[in-house]
Amino acid sequence: MTTHADLNEFSFLADDARDQGAEAPAAARVQLELPDGRALSAIRYGSGTPNAVFLHGAGLNAHTWDRTVIDLGAPALSLDLPGHGDSSWRTDADYAPETIAPDVIRAIEEWASAPITLVGQSLGGLTAAHVASARPDLVSDLILVDIVPGIGSGGPSQLSAFYARLEFESVDDVLDHALAFGLGGSRDKALRGVLLNTRTREDGVVEWKHHLAHVLSEKTEVPRLRDHHDTDWDALRRVAQPITLIAGSRGYLGDDDLAAFAAAQPEARIVTVDATHNVQETAHRDIADLVRSTRPERT
């Protein structure tokens, strides 16, 4: 039986790199103390100062970008968004993109070499749009992964159903739950995500590590995510930097979503790849190639 006591968070890098025919990058966990006492955590890959920064989606963590960074072959920074991974939870449970964007700005100022290529998937993509809009001096290029304001079809209801259960007897119990929802592929592949997205409490109960599981659960009294789609569209329209939208062919975005995005950003590039909503899990090389194309002289 696999437990969290067996976990080294970087133990998967070597296997991933071998599968991808590349060398595993150096990786280290870094932490930034925020003015209100919370902590923001991230992973720095490579030996130089990153000029590519990655933001994950709701319910994920910084490691979702491991394979993309391996393909990129350059220094990079991947954040645990507030309420996820090793970053602190917000006491107000407010994880709206405009609320958490200032934390990302502080992280870029602290750890990256601006202006950077900013890549965000799902919640991370909406947050990235707010960052690029508010601080154009920090962002040279914006890459959104399978997201526009409004999230497309089906996302919130699927997440709420999945996180209706918050506590488990073991890691294997979580695996059974995830596989029942068709998440993670094979059991062996799903194990990685389960280990990195859960933790074992002192009482032996395994729970989701990220706060959004509790926010989205029907059993919690924590306030739900706010619906600020208009605010997100306003931020996206104000972005003046080059934008690329990567759409998964089996993701959340439909034709109406893509049309609305094109109307908001007529000069933006839209690229469709064969992938589900978590494009970085299967089409990581496509993302890395697009990141590399934005800054060929630096990546």
Side-chain angles (χ1 to χ4, degrees):
M1 178 184 296
T2 304
T3 68
H4 289 103
D6 306 319
L7 178 63
N8 172 350
E9 67 168 313
F10 299 117
S11 63
F12 303 100
L13 278 178
D15 289 341
D16 288 344
R18 183 170 53 252
D19 291 345
Q20 294 169 234
E23 293 186 6
R29 175 69 62 176
V30 292
Q31 184 167 294
L32 177 65
E33 296 298 324
L34 299 172
D36 62 2
R38 290 180 298 117
L40 190 67
S41 190
I43 301 171
R44 288 186 60 166
Y45 302 87
S47 57
T49 304
N51 56 72
V53 176
F54 295 86
L55 309 180
H56 61 76
L60 300 176
N61 60 74
H63 282 288
T64 193
W65 298 107
D66 283 352
R67 287 186 175 272
T68 305
V69 173
I70 291 170
D71 286 331
L72 183 62
L77 180 74
S78 182
L79 270 64
D80 282 338
L81 291 177
H84 295 76
D86 289 344
S87 291
S88 299
W89 292 8
R90 291 183 59 92
T91 56
D92 60 5
D94 183 357
Y95 298 106
E98 73 270 22
T99 302
I100 63 178
D103 292 347
V104 176
I105 289 172
R106 292 187 182 97
I108 295 172
E109 292 174 330
E110 179 73 16
W111 290 317
S113 178
I116 52 97
T117 297
L118 184 58
V119 186
Q121 185 255 345
S122 200
L123 173 63
L126 297 179
T127 304
H130 282 276
V131 172
S133 172
R135 290 294 302 274
D137 57 310
L138 296 181
V139 180
S140 62
D141 298 86
L142 178 63
I143 298 178
L144 306 178
V145 181
D146 208 59
I147 192 65
V148 299
I151 202 171
S153 59
S157 61
Q158 292 172 7
L159 287 173
S160 294
F162 182 65
Y163 292 128
R165 186 178 176 192
L166 299 177
E167 298 181 344
F168 303 86
E169 295 180 0
S170 65
V171 171
D172 286 333
D173 192 14
V174 186
L175 269 172
D176 291 340
H177 180 71
L179 293 173
F181 277 81
L183 301 177
S186 69
R187 193 174 186 88
D188 287 344
K189 291 184 178 179
L191 177 61
R192 177 184 190 273
V194 165
L195 281 171
L196 293 170
N197 273 315
T198 58
R199 61 187 171 200
T200 301
R201 300 190 319 224
E202 291 184 1
D203 60 3
V205 171
V206 178
E207 67 175 2
W208 298 111
K209 198 173 185 180
H210 48 277
H211 198 190
L212 280 180
H214 303 260
V215 173
L216 291 168
S217 171
E218 293 294 338
K219 298 179 182 179
T220 182
E221 297 180 359
V222 178
R224 296 187 178 278
L225 283 168
R226 292 182 295 163
D227 182 353
H228 277 188
H229 298 159
D230 290 343
T231 303
D232 296 338
W233 277 118
D234 288 343
L236 182 60
R237 293 187 187 97
R238 289 195 301 269
V239 174
Q241 302 93 316
I243 303 179
T244 298
L245 172 63
I246 303 174
S249 59
R250 290 166 284 127
Y252 286 166
L253 302 182
D255 291 341
D256 290 345
D257 299 308
L258 298 179
F261 173 80
Q265 281 286 349
E267 302 300 318
R269 173 172 54 168
I270 300 176
V271 178
T272 300
V273 299
D274 182 18
T276 57
H277 179 57
N278 291 345
V279 178
Q280 67 278 7
E281 293 181 359
T282 53
H284 37 82
R285 186 175 297 276
D286 293 302
I287 298 176
D289 287 344
L290 287 167
V291 173
R292 191 178 296 109
S293 73
T294 65
R295 303 299 292 270
E297 77 282 4
R298 300 179 68 182
T299 61

